[in-house]
Each structure stands twice: as C-alpha cells, then as structure tokens.
Amino acid sequence: MVNLKKYNGVLKLFVIFLTLFLIVSCGKQNYQVSKIEGKQIPITENGNQISGQVLETEQSKQIEKYIKPYRNHIDKDLNTVLAYCPETLDKSAGRWQTTIGNLMADVTLKRGNTVFFAREKKNIDMCMLNNGGIRSTLPKGNVTTKTAYELMPFENGLVVIALKGEQIFELVDYFIAAKKPHPLSGITFTISKDDFAKNILIQGKPVEKERIYYVATNDYLANGGDSMNFFKKGVQRFDLDYKLRNVLIDYFKEVDTIPVINDIRVSVE
C-alpha cells in the first residue's frame, strides 16, 4: 500500500522548490559596465584609416556627405559678420590696463546690468574679470561669431557678487600685487610710489567700508579662481545664467563699430 502522506510531503517540497527557482530565474538581473572601448577614425582624402587598413574611398565620401550639411551650417553661423574693429585690441598691450580688457569689462557690466536690474531692481556697481580669461586678440577688421568663441572659448557664466567696501579694498590690493591688467570697469584708483592704492572710487564716489557693492565677474573667479578669495566673502551671490561669450556676441550684434577705449582707470604716481 502506497504511503500517501509521504508522497504528498515530497510533492509539496518539490512545488516550493520549483516556485522559488522560477522566481529567482525570472528576477531582474543587474548589469554593470566593466569596460568601454573606442577608436578614432580619421577621414582623409584617400579614405578612412582604421588599424593600418585604408577603407574604400567611397565610404569616406559617404561620411563626408553626411557631415557636410552640419559643417556648412556651423561655418555659416560662426563666420557671420557682426561688427567691425578699427584696430587690433591685444591683452598684452598695457601694464595696468588694456583696450580689450576695458572693452570686455565695460560690455560685461553694461549687458549684465540689463539682466540684473530686470531681476533684482538693483544696479551693478563695477566689474572685474581676469586677464588670463581673454584667450585671443580682437583683430582689426570684421568681427564674427567665431571671434567671440576665440576670445572666450570657455563656458564661464556671468555672476554678480555683493561685496562690502572692505572686500573692495582687498580687491584693489590683490590687483596691485598681481601686477596684471585684469579688466576693470566702474572703478578707478591710483597706485602710489610705495604700491598702495589711493583715491579708490566706484562710479565716481569714494568707497565706503560697510556699504554693499554689486560686482560683476565670472563664475570661475566668483569661486575663488586665480586666488581671488575676496569674492568668496560676498554676502550674496546672483547667477545670471548668461555666458560671457554670449555677452560678447550680443554686444557685437548691437554695434556697428567697436570702440577703442583708452580712458585711465588705473593711474600711477
């Protein structure tokens, strides 16, 4: 006689095992990328070179045909003439200030103020940028969108920092110690014979130690770049979501001829 109780117990264990096996088998599996590989495929007049083997010239032509519309569109945008520059503006042509630095600081202050005032109902008092951020000259002749990309190839954005007058004094001390023509706008001062700042004026008025001044700069400097740590002491920060390159492009579009700005911002005894 068959022992049904024993048989039913084994059957239950089998069903439970089978169910667990199916659940585990059908469960979601997690995959991880262990390796990424790639290779550069240069396109030449004679074909595509891959691992020492030249592919058919026809294939190269097909790739060129595919890329060409995009290249033409980009070239058209970059080569569009926006303005005219009457003489070459060079960041190395000046001890304490340069014509291109004056231009960039003025443009940043002016166009940045349009955005800042619309948002905050306040005006930007001054601007300070870094000489090293200017990556090219502004050559005499037609100015294009490409010119702006050459001048400002980085993705730096425009930032306004609220600084107390005490930090303005630190800013001026830094400028004198650095001995570089960092672009300035809205501020003037005199360097004495013993390398101290005198007659510091913002918008033509003496700096007050406890007053708040709104200073335009780029996000790199706002974070303390180039050891401009005084910016990190700001009591408030405003990111304008406006790239400095686009500031230049918008300015070039609105003027016919770019001015050569030679007014004295930093004088020496």
Side-chain angles (χ1 to χ4, degrees), residues 107-159:
V107 171
T108 300
L109 192 156
K110 178 183 177 183
R111 294 204 60 85
N113 196 55
T114 302
V115 178
F116 187 63
F117 185 80
R119 292 186 185 180
E120 306 296 332
K121 305 306 178 188
K122 300 172 183 175
N123 287 308
I124 297 174
D125 295 296
M126 62 162 287
C127 173
M128 181 176 185
L129 303 174
N130 56 324
N131 182 258
I134 306 172
R135 308 303 289 186
S136 177
T137 61
L138 184 56
K140 178 180 178 180
N142 290 334
V143 176
T144 65
T145 304
K146 184 179 180 180
T147 308
Y149 274 85
E150 291 171 342
L151 283 169
M152 299 293 299
F154 308 118
E155 298 299 308
N156 293 119
L158 178 55
V159 174

